[in-house]
Amino acid sequence: MPSTYASSGNEELVDILEERRRSGDLSHALRTFSPQPYKEMTPCSASDLSKKTLESQYLKYIFKEIASESSLSMEEVKEDARLLLEEMSQNLQLGFIRLMGYTMTKVFKRLYTNIYVNMEGLNMLQQAIQENPVILMPTHRSYIDFLIVSYVLFTYDIPVPVIAAGLPLAGMKLVGEILRRSGAFFIRRSIGSDKLYWAVLSEYVKTIVRTGFAPLEFFVEGLRSRTLKSVPPKLGMMHMVLEPYFKGEVFDITLVPISISYDRVLEESLLAHELLGIPKPKETTTGLFKATKVLQEDYGCMHVNFGRPLSVRDLCQGKINRGQYNLTPRDLPQMPSTDVQACVNWLAHHIVRIQEEGSCISPWSLMACVLIQCPISTLIERGMTWSKLKDRTLWLKKLALQFGARLHWPEHMSDQDVLLSMVALHHSIAAYKGDRVFSAEEDVNRTAAVVLMLASYRNQSLHVFLRPALLATSIQLTKSTQRGRSLKLLAFFCFLKEILSNEFIFVPGKSSQDFEEACLSLKECGAVHVSSDEVTVTEAGLEVLSFLFALLQPFIQSYQVMLDFLAEHKTDISEKQLHFSGRSFAMKRILSGELQTYEALSSETQKNVLSALRALDGKMPPSCSTGLLMQSSSLGWHKSMYSISLQPYLPQPDPVYSLLSSW
């Protein structure tokens, strides 16, 4: 692969491993490192940062509150806070950054063919760090995400960030301390109502932002996405990093979305098995060394795309009234108002959408879209002919580019060689034999894991097709071409969005824009004619709409299966019991041949069904129950909303519109 190439968006991408392969790893780690920090930053050590946090007026107020509410003295509360801070705080040291730089160079050269970085984005980041406190917000699909951003910034003489990490990593002998001294600060995964912990954590984060100690990096999606698609953002850390701006303690804050894309994800098998209910192995140093066998595998290319720096001041203009913070002393705790909560929620979703748009799609993701629409029994027994897979993938490549996708398609290789290399790279999922491509295995459990891996790679490109797919599904199911706001095409589009809001990312308040974007995408690819009153499918567009319709089918069918299970369950069932029993129910249907969608076995799907039910709960009849227990008596109402029996490539009867008419 070349060391530099232009992306499908004509942006220059540089392979940072090229130089590392030609020069010494030690000289790279020990070279002069002289980054330009935030212009208003005062020299401050990691211990000084912790001291400022503990001595803040905010924490002193919290200490008094907790002491008055408990039997503890002020000193005892303060000591508890000091221990919490000791547990979580980073201890960034240049020597350990160099050690990590040397180690990661060795590891990355073994794992990846290339690591591409967009230089324009990196240059903008370098400038932004000098102007305002910067928050780095990468996607989270792999443990590698935790390391790669710091590695890139170290390579280009940009201040390395402090990084929010899960507390279990701190417990790894030796490794935990190396991570801490490389900039990691550690957060408990479950904080609950621990008032002191929340206060110490939030004040520590806000102190980092106020002082400009270093760029702060955190994953807005929270945990790794086990399905390789974006998941709804978590808002706790967003509130913490934005509060210094809301309260006028800093003039502005810069947010930098970062999209990290992989040809092949290190944890592909682990993630699939987690979705099937197999617990994730505990993070230990022993486990890390046992996992060194991954160094013998090829994981293709990685792309790190630094998005355009975003001004919080500009983004929040007109959305919040910062004057409300003048009514209370800055040092006192204050619940965010409704408009602030809405703004933070909008901003978090906006960032995740930018991350999606900045991601780089590999040829394998398009191939996975094609393969997963083939019956699993066919992939096991006869396979898909190579010519069909190739032709459909190239057709899909053209469609993806028309929809604005960023593709990594090596120009120096023929299409045939590109696709063959992808099959070889993903040998754990697919095999090329006798001019056919086979996937999955006869053992149903192994098949389930392989199909979920295949679905995950499909998910990498799903955001490109999502809005047109929602419109295609709406057209197919409503048989309506009318696009007026009060008519059922837009209504059903919004209905699907609401049901699937836990599966996909939709920016709040943009339903009309999403609908118009879908219309425009289908119009520009020639699939539909759009007028002020109608969306009319063209003859040439039937193939496009059939593909898009089938793309959403696994999700809707999975929801239907879970609702069937809940409706048939005769007694109340807890959320914990649901995962095991619901998976058994879906597996029985798969084994009987009633169901082809292995994604119904996924714990993420089960969780999202419950979230969808809770979100729609406010529209339930008063007699329907709520809470953690799912009552079978309440499900008939919900089930009617999902009573859309989907079959690939065939028109369907009109769905039930009773809910829509009540809107």
Side-chain angles (χ1 to χ4, degrees), residues 32 174 327 375 398 444 521:
T32 301
L174 183 63
L327 303 177
K398 181 180 178 182
V444 68
S521 295

Side-chain angles (χ1 to χ4, degrees), residues 338-485:
T338 302
D339 64 327
V340 168
Q341 291 181 51
C343 180
V344 171
N345 183 48
W346 171 84
L347 192 51
H349 282 80
H350 180 61
I351 291 293
V352 179
R353 276 294 290 140
I354 293 174
Q355 290 175 340
E356 288 184 334
E357 292 166 357
S359 63
C360 190
I361 296 169
S362 77
W364 177 249
S365 182
L366 301 182
M367 296 173 79
C369 288
V370 174
L371 285 168
I372 206 163
Q373 291 191 13
C374 180
I376 299 303
S377 58
T378 300
L379 291 178
I380 295 173
E381 296 166 10
R382 300 193 304 276
M384 179 181 284
T385 62
W386 176 254
S387 59
K388 181 178 180 180
L389 177 58
K390 177 183 174 183
D391 291 346
R392 291 289 290 173
T393 302
L394 295 178
W395 171 84
L396 192 53
K397 172 192 174 186
K398 181 180 178 182
L399 184 65
L401 290 172
Q402 289 173 325
F403 285 176
R406 298 167 60 97
L407 290 182
H408 173 228
W409 199 281
E411 295 181 356
H412 69 288
M413 296 170 65
S414 68
D415 291 335
Q416 173 88 353
D417 288 342
V418 168
L419 299 182
L420 283 173
S421 69
M422 288 293 105
V423 174
L425 183 68
H426 293 275
H427 58 84
S428 59
I429 300 175
Y432 178 68
K433 302 174 186 176
D435 207 33
R436 288 180 176 270
V437 175
F438 295 82
S439 186
E441 297 180 7
E442 293 187 8
D443 175 74
V444 68
N445 292 315
R446 173 60 183 159
T447 294
V450 170
V451 172
L452 289 182
M453 283 192 277
L454 196 61
S456 292
Y457 285 109
R458 174 211 58 200
N459 290 343
Q460 289 181 321
S461 57
L462 206 53
H463 64 277
V464 174
F465 305 108
L466 175 60
R467 284 151 185 80
L470 289 171
L471 179 56
T473 303
S474 301
I475 292 171
Q476 187 82 310
L477 294 175
T478 63
K479 298 180 183 178
S480 173
T481 61
Q482 296 173 312
R483 65 192 294 253
R485 178 174 294 277

Side-chain angles (χ1 to χ4, degrees), residues 314-325:
D314 292 343
L315 289 168
C316 295
Q317 190 71 34
K319 287 187 168 60
I320 62 167
N321 173 23
R322 291 202 296 159
Q324 62 189 282
Y325 287 99

Side-chain angles (χ1 to χ4, degrees), residues 97-144:
I97 291 294
R98 294 187 186 281
L99 173 62
M100 287 293 286
Y102 176 77
T103 305
M104 287 302 102
T105 298
K106 296 288 188 186
V107 171
F108 290 152
K109 286 197 298 186
R110 290 289 299 272
L111 292 176
Y112 299 105
T113 309
N114 314 89
I115 297 179
Y116 289 108
V117 177
N118 64 322
M119 295 310 299
E120 181 183 1
L122 205 58
N123 291 335
M124 288 190 291
L125 171 62
Q126 193 163 32
Q127 182 62 36
I129 281 178
Q130 299 173 48
E131 300 298 324
N132 294 298
V134 166
I135 311 299
L136 303 174
M137 304 176 73
T139 52
H140 198 15
R141 307 291 179 264
S142 169
Y143 283 124
I144 297 296

